[in-house]
Amino acid sequence: MLVTVCRTEHFNAAHRLYNPAWDDERNQRVFGKCNNPNYHGHNYKLTVRLTGDIDPETGYVYDLKRLSDLIKQEVLDRYDHRNLNLDTEEFRTLNPTAENIAVVIWQRLRPHLDKGLALSVTLYETDRNFVEYHG
Amino acid sequence: MLVTVCRTEHFNAAHRLYNPAWDDERNQRVFGKCNNPNYHGHNYKLTVRLTGDIDPETGYVYDLKRLSDLIKQEVLDRYDHRNLNLDTEEFRTLNPTAENIAVVIWQRLRPHLDKGLALSVTLYETDRNFVEYHG
Amino acid sequence: MLVTVCRTEHFNAAHRLYNPAWDDERNQRVFGKCNNPNYHGHNYKLTVRLTGDIDPETGYVYDLKRLSDLIKQEVLDRYDHRNLNLDTEEFRTLNPTAENIAVVIWQRLRPHLDKGLALSVTLYETDRNFVEYHG
Amino acid sequence: MLVTVCRTEHFNAAHRLYNPAWDDERNQRVFGKCNNPNYHGHNYKLTVRLTGDIDPETGYVYDLKRLSDLIKQEVLDRYDHRNLNLDTEEFRTLNPTAENIAVVIWQRLRPHLDKGLALSVTLYETDRNFVEYHG
Amino acid sequence: MLVTVCRTEHFNAAHRLYNPAWDDERNQRVFGKCNNPNYHGHNYKLTVRLTGDIDPETGYVYDLKRLSDLIKQEVLDRYDHRNLNLDTEEFRTLNPTAENIAVVIWQRLRPHLDKGLALSVTLYETDRNFVEYHG
Amino acid sequence: MLVTVCRTEHFNAAHRLYNPAWDDERNQRVFGKCNNPNYHGHNYKLTVRLTGDIDPETGYVYDLKRLSDLIKQEVLDRYDHRNLNLDTEEFRTLNPTAENIAVVIWQRLRPHLDKGLALSVTLYETDRNFVEYHG
């Protein structure tokens, strides 16, 4: 009886998209206004999904308060009110596209979760642009 | 040509989380403020998904008006403006976590639907906490 | 240069509507399913608005972090995950309609705010039913 | 490392549901108010999902600006502020149910996308009624 | 102690904008794609606000169930799943802009409400385009 | 017959809050994480309201397409995908709090609008934090 439990959190961060191996003209052509050297920013919305069995004693697949605490520790404390390019190790060299941020968040959360739990993350950069990663 | 059709409905209910096999201290430690003996409540949002073939005559997989009526009969008429622990048979002994409510709703809807239709339910307890069950 | 600053918070509570001066039949007729003796509940959404001058040193009318803390202290710590009829003094005798809850919240917040600030509150019982009080 | 990227767009259109092979009475009985001969309309919300590998040079699965342009060209330029039954070839004979519209949109987008990309579309007719098609 | 109570309802309708006193070219220039002769449509969202005193016996300014019924009778039963230009008397000659629809709705509701209640309506044509009328 | 017409737009920008007349310790104490020297960012949502008479020829108070164009020219072209502190003249010395941004936007729009139209702006920094300015 597999059930998926989901928790949504938010963080506000600055970033810019660019590839250091390219010259400015190519970065500008590929990434457009997202390449602005002085950064822009987003209210990121993150939904984390865990799929597993219901514990018959608690009726929980995973305590969502605990999941919220884990997301806070691994994601919000690192990215909220930060500049992803300048203030984090992981995006100093890796381009902070929504795709890459979602994969990095998944990789940060995975080791803290029991292997019996499937993990997926959805990251909304805006209401209209979002990505999903299932590992 | 499998298509999924989805209908969202709402119900407002009171509940509390607790395990009658545990003492008060353990219930409080595990369920925290959700264990309040006098109950709290939620605006539950329910999305029901049916996957099947499009009927070439109607262009419908399933008439969403009929699905709405079925959800009303099986879910809203039982849970809306009720206390899940006190006013329903199913949650008198089963802890009304979002996980368990989703499974019970799925089980209540399943017998009313043709076997050729796959069924899943998503239940939002709040905008930030929700669960999915696919049977 | 008057500006209004707004902060939204949420709390989840159980309640029932009834007038102790009326008999059951009249309570049922007037309040319908909201009169259920075993309570039902809501995800209440609260928006608090303060109107005043911008402080030229901070650029703030009022620090929204401080406003969030004040709402937590005066509203969420009292009502979140509670039964409004049973767990609070103010709604033991006062019917906890959205109107009355909004007025009580306004009255609880007002003494903590400078007289130069105008205060209003909006309380959403559901997405479709909400009330506003300006004092 | 498969990631899904999603883009949401909107279009506003008129339509009516009916089956030309049926008489008026049967059309009215099956489609109810959606059968109104003078049409009604919706703000359609469309989410297009593409699943594929992250390009290591860009960090993109697919540039969402390009996806937005493709949706504009294939969907919005044809359906936005139009009458689906009268102003389009595809729904002159095919009943413009949400199911059929979603399938047609999928079929219009598919030839423009690399075969390595999986495509799915979600079409919201209202906040409460929506459909998904994965091909 | 004046409180405002608010109720939101929805209706889906077709319309087109045009001025019969103008030629086609001018209608097209002024109203653009909203002038499409075959109509387009919207999911209209309507919020009705009533401001008055709280009745001390009920704790209500106005029973929102009764307000919902009134909106159904005066607005939804006339406009939902209709073509505003063809299926209603009021917009046969009056251009069904959001502004005019809001004023007409206000005028239809006003006679049914006690003079002591202030009335305002907000009409959303889309999430991004909406109008307010206070009488 | 005064009606208010409203248009919502979005822009994504980086910013930080600080007062150059204060030392780092005081900036940090007052602005907290919003003071991060490397900036953070937001998806700003802006609603512009114009109140005036309905033009009997068009049925419009103000063409919302024209209002959208004006907001694009005066706000989005300057702030979208920019760093408010570094990339704009107006916030090089003025602290880019939501209050100050709303006032500046109002001041930028006002000269382009007829004096008979009342103007107000609402600026959402997040879903939970927003400000309103009426001039």
Side-chain angles (χ1 to χ4, degrees):
Chain A
M1 196 174 282
L2 289 173
V3 174
T4 302
V5 297
C6 313
R7 173 72 190 173
T8 297
E9 300 283 351
H10 300 80
F11 60 94
N12 310 317
H15 80 150
R16 70 176 295 218
L17 301 186
Y18 79 117
N19 181 337
W22 294 349
D23 63 17
D24 286 356
E25 188 278 329
R26 188 169 176 195
N27 269 297
Q28 178 57 34
R29 182 162 36 81
V30 172
F31 297 118
K33 59 187 181 179
C34 298
N35 182 239
N36 178 26
N38 286 329
Y39 312 97
H40 62 285
H42 294 293
N43 301 335
Y44 289 94
K45 183 170 92 164
L46 171 69
T47 298
V48 176
R49 285 172 166 79
L50 301 181
T51 302
D53 289 307
I54 299 180
D55 177 328
E57 275 205 302
T58 59
Y60 283 163
V61 167
Y62 195 94
D63 182 344
L64 288 178
K65 176 67 176 67
R66 242 176 91 205
L67 181 56
S68 173
D69 290 343
L70 176 64
I71 299 169
K72 185 176 183 307
Q73 168 195 304
E74 291 300 317
V75 183
L76 275 58
D77 285 352
R78 294 177 74 86
Y79 302 152
D80 186 34
H81 283 74
R82 298 291 164 76
N83 183 309
L84 298 177
N85 304 74
L86 298 180
D87 293 330
T88 73
E89 303 240 345
E90 45 270 56
F91 300 110
R92 209 159 283 171
T93 53
L94 183 67
N95 200 7
T97 59
E99 289 91 325
N100 281 335
I101 302 171
V103 170
V104 165
I105 288 173
W106 190 95
Q107 290 169 336
R108 292 194 62 80
L109 295 173
R110 184 67 269 183
H112 298 273
L113 296 161
D114 192 277
K115 278 180 184 159
L117 291 166
L119 167 68
S120 77
V121 304
T122 305
L123 183 72
Y124 296 79
E125 202 172 77
T126 69
D127 284 348
R128 298 187 166 205
N129 289 354
F130 56 102
V131 304
E132 301 173 345
Y133 183 58
H134 301 270
Chain B
M1 197 174 283
L2 289 173
V3 174
T4 301
V5 298
C6 313
R7 173 71 189 173
T8 297
E9 300 283 351
H10 300 80
F11 59 96
N12 310 318
H15 79 151
R16 71 177 293 221
L17 301 185
Y18 79 118
N19 181 337
W22 295 348
D23 63 16
D24 287 357
E25 187 278 329
R26 188 171 176 193
N27 269 297
Q28 179 57 34
R29 183 161 36 81
V30 172
F31 296 119
K33 58 188 182 177
C34 299
N35 181 239
N36 179 26
N38 286 328
Y39 312 98
H40 63 285
H42 295 292
N43 300 334
Y44 288 94
K45 185 171 92 165
L46 171 70
T47 298
V48 176
R49 286 173 164 79
L50 301 181
T51 302
D53 288 307
I54 298 180
D55 177 328
E57 274 205 303
T58 59
Y60 282 163
V61 168
Y62 194 94
D63 183 344
L64 288 179
K65 176 69 176 67
R66 242 177 92 205
L67 181 56
S68 173
D69 290 343
L70 176 63
I71 299 170
K72 185 176 182 312
Q73 168 194 304
E74 292 300 317
V75 182
L76 275 57
D77 285 352
R78 294 177 73 87
Y79 302 152
D80 187 34
H81 282 73
R82 298 290 165 76
N83 183 310
L84 298 178
N85 304 74
L86 298 180
D87 293 331
T88 74
E89 303 240 346
E90 45 270 54
F91 301 110
R92 209 159 283 172
T93 52
L94 183 66
N95 200 7
T97 58
E99 289 91 326
N100 281 335
I101 302 172
V103 170
V104 166
I105 288 173
W106 189 94
Q107 289 169 337
R108 292 194 61 82
L109 296 172
R110 185 67 270 183
H112 299 272
L113 296 162
D114 192 276
K115 279 182 186 155
L117 290 167
L119 166 68
S120 76
V121 303
T122 306
L123 183 73
Y124 295 79
E125 202 171 77
T126 69
D127 284 348
R128 298 187 166 205
N129 288 355
F130 56 104
V131 305
E132 302 172 346
Y133 182 59
H134 301 269
Chain C
M1 197 174 283
L2 289 173
V3 174
T4 301
V5 297
C6 313
R7 174 71 190 173
T8 296
E9 300 283 350
H10 301 80
F11 60 95
N12 310 318
H15 80 150
R16 71 177 293 220
L17 301 186
Y18 79 116
N19 181 337
W22 295 348
D23 63 16
D24 286 357
E25 188 279 329
R26 188 170 177 194
N27 268 297
Q28 178 58 34
R29 183 163 36 81
V30 172
F31 296 119
K33 59 186 180 178
C34 299
N35 181 239
N36 178 25
N38 285 329
Y39 313 98
H40 62 286
H42 294 292
N43 301 335
Y44 289 95
K45 183 172 92 164
L46 171 70
T47 298
V48 177
R49 285 173 164 79
L50 301 180
T51 302
D53 289 307
I54 298 179
D55 177 327
E57 275 205 302
T58 59
Y60 282 163
V61 168
Y62 195 93
D63 182 345
L64 288 178
K65 177 67 178 63
R66 243 177 90 205
L67 181 55
S68 173
D69 290 344
L70 176 63
I71 299 170
K72 185 175 182 309
Q73 169 194 302
E74 293 299 318
V75 182
L76 275 57
D77 286 352
R78 294 177 75 86
Y79 302 153
D80 187 35
H81 283 72
R82 299 289 165 77
N83 183 310
L84 297 179
N85 304 75
L86 298 180
D87 293 330
T88 74
E89 303 238 346
E90 45 271 53
F91 300 110
R92 209 159 283 171
T93 53
L94 184 66
N95 200 6
T97 59
E99 290 92 324
N100 281 335
I101 302 172
V103 170
V104 165
I105 288 174
W106 190 95
Q107 289 169 338
R108 291 194 62 80
L109 294 173
R110 184 67 269 184
H112 297 274
L113 296 162
D114 192 277
K115 279 180 183 156
L117 290 167
L119 167 68
S120 76
V121 303
T122 305
L123 183 73
Y124 295 79
E125 202 171 76
T126 68
D127 284 348
R128 298 187 166 205
N129 288 355
F130 56 103
V131 303
E132 301 173 346
Y133 183 58
H134 301 271
Chain D
M1 197 174 282
L2 288 173
V3 174
T4 301
V5 297
C6 313
R7 174 70 190 172
T8 297
E9 299 283 351
H10 300 80
F11 60 95
N12 311 316
H15 80 150
R16 71 176 295 221
L17 301 186
Y18 78 117
N19 181 337
W22 295 348
D23 63 15
D24 286 357
E25 188 277 329
R26 188 171 178 194
N27 269 297
Q28 178 57 35
R29 183 163 36 82
V30 172
F31 297 119
K33 59 187 181 178
C34 298
N35 181 239
N36 179 26
N38 286 329
Y39 312 97
H40 63 285
H42 294 291
N43 301 335
Y44 289 94
K45 184 171 92 164
L46 172 69
T47 298
V48 176
R49 285 172 164 78
L50 301 180
T51 302
D53 289 307
I54 299 179
D55 178 326
E57 273 205 304
T58 59
Y60 283 163
V61 168
Y62 195 93
D63 182 346
L64 288 178
K65 175 69 177 64
R66 244 177 90 205
L67 181 56
S68 172
D69 290 344
L70 176 64
I71 299 169
K72 185 176 182 308
Q73 169 194 303
E74 292 299 318
V75 183
L76 275 56
D77 285 352
R78 294 177 74 86
Y79 302 152
D80 188 35
H81 283 73
R82 299 289 165 77
N83 183 310
L84 297 178
N85 304 74
L86 298 180
D87 292 330
T88 74
E89 304 241 343
E90 45 269 54
F91 300 109
R92 209 160 283 171
T93 52
L94 183 67
N95 201 6
T97 58
E99 289 91 326
N100 281 335
I101 302 171
V103 170
V104 166
I105 288 173
W106 189 94
Q107 289 169 338
R108 292 194 61 81
L109 295 173
R110 183 68 268 183
H112 298 273
L113 295 162
D114 192 276
K115 278 181 185 156
L117 290 167
L119 167 68
S120 77
V121 304
T122 305
L123 184 72
Y124 296 79
E125 202 171 76
T126 68
D127 285 347
R128 297 187 167 206
N129 288 355
F130 56 102
V131 304
E132 301 173 346
Y133 182 59
H134 301 271
Chain E
M1 198 175 282
L2 288 173
V3 174
T4 301
V5 298
C6 312
R7 175 70 190 172
T8 296
E9 299 283 352
H10 300 79
F11 59 96
N12 310 317
H15 81 150
R16 71 176 295 219
L17 301 186
Y18 79 118
N19 181 337
W22 295 348
D23 63 16
D24 286 357
E25 187 278 329
R26 189 171 177 194
N27 269 297
Q28 179 58 35
R29 183 162 35 81
V30 172
F31 296 118
K33 59 188 181 177
C34 298
N35 181 240
N36 179 26
N38 285 330
Y39 312 98
H40 63 286
H42 295 291
N43 300 335
Y44 289 94
K45 183 171 93 164
L46 172 69
T47 299
V48 176
R49 285 172 165 78
L50 301 180
T51 302
D53 288 307
I54 298 180
D55 177 327
E57 273 205 304
T58 59
Y60 281 164
V61 168
Y62 194 93
D63 182 345
L64 288 178
K65 176 68 177 66
R66 243 177 89 205
L67 181 55
S68 172
D69 290 343
L70 176 64
I71 299 170
K72 186 175 182 311
Q73 169 194 303
E74 292 300 317
V75 183
L76 274 56
D77 285 352
R78 295 177 74 87
Y79 302 152
D80 187 34
H81 282 73
R82 299 290 166 74
N83 183 309
L84 297 179
N85 304 76
L86 299 180
D87 293 330
T88 74
E89 304 240 346
E90 46 270 52
F91 301 110
R92 209 159 285 172
T93 53
L94 183 66
N95 201 6
T97 58
E99 289 91 325
N100 281 335
I101 302 171
V103 170
V104 165
I105 287 173
W106 190 95
Q107 290 168 337
R108 292 194 61 81
L109 295 173
R110 185 67 269 183
H112 297 273
L113 296 162
D114 192 277
K115 279 181 184 156
L117 290 167
L119 167 68
S120 77
V121 304
T122 305
L123 183 72
Y124 295 79
E125 202 171 77
T126 69
D127 285 347
R128 298 187 167 206
N129 288 355
F130 56 103
V131 304
E132 301 173 345
Y133 182 58
H134 301 270
Chain F
M1 197 174 282
L2 289 173
V3 174
T4 301
V5 297
C6 314
R7 173 71 188 173
T8 298
E9 300 283 352
H10 300 80
F11 60 95
N12 310 317
H15 80 150
R16 70 177 294 220
L17 302 186
Y18 79 117
N19 181 337
W22 294 349
D23 63 17
D24 286 357
E25 188 278 331
R26 188 170 176 194
N27 269 297
Q28 179 57 33
R29 184 162 36 82
V30 171
F31 297 118
K33 59 188 182 178
C34 298
N35 181 238
N36 179 26
N38 286 330
Y39 312 98
H40 63 285
H42 295 291
N43 300 336
Y44 289 94
K45 184 171 93 164
L46 172 69
T47 298
V48 176
R49 286 172 164 79
L50 300 180
T51 302
D53 289 308
I54 298 180
D55 177 327
E57 275 206 303
T58 58
Y60 283 163
V61 168
Y62 195 94
D63 183 345
L64 288 179
K65 176 68 177 66
R66 242 177 91 206
L67 181 55
S68 174
D69 290 344
L70 176 63
I71 299 169
K72 185 175 183 307
Q73 170 194 302
E74 292 300 317
V75 182
L76 274 57
D77 285 352
R78 295 177 74 85
Y79 302 153
D80 187 35
H81 282 74
R82 299 291 164 76
N83 183 311
L84 298 178
N85 304 75
L86 298 180
D87 292 332
T88 74
E89 303 240 344
E90 46 271 53
F91 300 109
R92 208 159 283 170
T93 53
L94 183 67
N95 200 7
T97 58
E99 290 92 324
N100 281 334
I101 301 171
V103 170
V104 165
I105 287 173
W106 189 94
Q107 289 169 338
R108 292 194 61 81
L109 295 173
R110 186 66 268 185
H112 298 272
L113 297 162
D114 192 277
K115 279 182 184 156
L117 290 167
L119 167 67
S120 77
V121 304
T122 305
L123 183 72
Y124 296 78
E125 203 171 76
T126 69
D127 284 348
R128 299 186 165 204
N129 289 353
F130 56 103
V131 305
E132 302 173 346
Y133 183 58
H134 301 269

